[in-house]
Amino acid sequence: MNLVKAKQFLARAIDFVNAAQTICETSSQGHLPSACLLLGTAMELLAKKQLLERGLNPKILKIKPYGHDLQALWKEHTSMYAEAELINEEIRLSGDQPDSFDFAVHFDALAYGYGNESDFSLRYHNGQRSFADPFIIGKITERIAIRERMRRQEPR
C-alpha cells in the first residue's frame, strides 16, 4: 500500500515540477510565487515518497514533525538536501547558473514561504516580497525527481 502511494507521490511531484517550469518559461515575474508554491509541493511529495518507502504510515506524514515542513523533511528526515547541494554544484560547474546563486538562501526562502512559519505565505499571499529563484530550484528539483524515478523502489 505504501509503495503504491509512494509512486503516486512521485507522479504528482513530477507534474508539479513540470507546471512550475512552464510558469517560469512563459510567465512574467509576478507569477514566480506560484512556481515556488508548485516546487514546494513537489519537494514535499518527493521527501514523503522516500519516507513511505521506508515504511512510515501516510497518516503520520500529515502531522509534525513532518507536515509541510520542508526544512525537516529535506534536512532531518531524508538526505534530499545533501543531494540537492550536490546537484546544485553540478549545475554551477556546468555554467547554467550564476556563481552568485546561493542554494541555501533560496532553499530557506522557499521552505519559509511554503511552511507554517510564514503562515503559508506562498499559498495565502501575506505581502511577502522576496522569493526563492524557481528557475534554478526547479532544475534541482527536477533532477531529484528523475533520480527518484530511476531508483529501485524497495522498502528499507
Side-chain angles (χ1 to χ4, degrees):
M1 175 75 156
N2 283 358
L3 293 180
V4 171
K5 190 169 245 352
K7 287 180 184 179
Q8 292 168 343
F9 278 21
L10 177 59
R12 291 293 290 165
I14 291 169
D15 289 345
F16 285 122
V17 169
N18 290 336
Q21 288 175 330
T22 299
I23 288 173
C24 288
E25 292 166 1
T26 61
S27 297
S28 68
Q29 291 277 337
H31 297 297
L32 297 184
S34 297
C36 288
L37 176 60
L38 291 166
L39 290 171
T41 305
M43 294 165 80
E44 176 183 345
L45 290 170
L46 289 169
K48 288 182 176 180
K49 172 208 170 278
Q50 281 191 0
L51 296 170
L52 287 169
E53 289 171 347
R54 292 182 193 163
L56 269 70
N57 183 321
K59 291 180 182 180
I60 296 295
L61 297 179
K62 294 180 181 183
I63 58 176
K64 287 185 179 189
Y66 307 103
H68 303 296
D69 187 344
L70 294 180
Q71 293 283 354
L73 288 167
W74 274 50
K75 291 181 178 179
E76 298 169 26
H77 304 297
T78 69
S79 59
M80 296 194 117
Y81 186 85
E83 184 175 0
E85 287 181 309
L86 293 173
I87 292 169
N88 177 65
E89 186 62 13
E90 291 170 8
I91 293 170
R92 189 187 66 74
L93 291 172
S94 73
D96 287 342
Q97 77 182 33
D99 286 337
S100 62
F101 179 82
D102 185 335
F103 173 73
V105 168
H106 288 267
F107 176 85
D108 289 348
L110 192 140
Y112 175 78
Y114 186 77
N116 188 36
E117 277 185 43
S118 72
D119 199 23
F120 305 102
S121 66
L122 286 174
R123 278 182 234 174
Y124 307 118
H125 185 63
N126 63 5
Q128 183 176 342
R129 296 279 183 246
S130 62
F131 301 98
D133 181 337
F135 297 98
I136 298 172
I137 295 288
K139 288 179 189 180
I140 293 166
T141 307
E142 177 188 35
R143 290 187 188 186
I144 288 175
I146 290 167
R147 290 177 182 194
E148 285 297 310
R149 187 172 45 199
M150 293 180 353
R151 286 189 179 112
R152 191 169 170 184
Q153 309 303 316
E154 291 180 2
R156 294 182 182 152

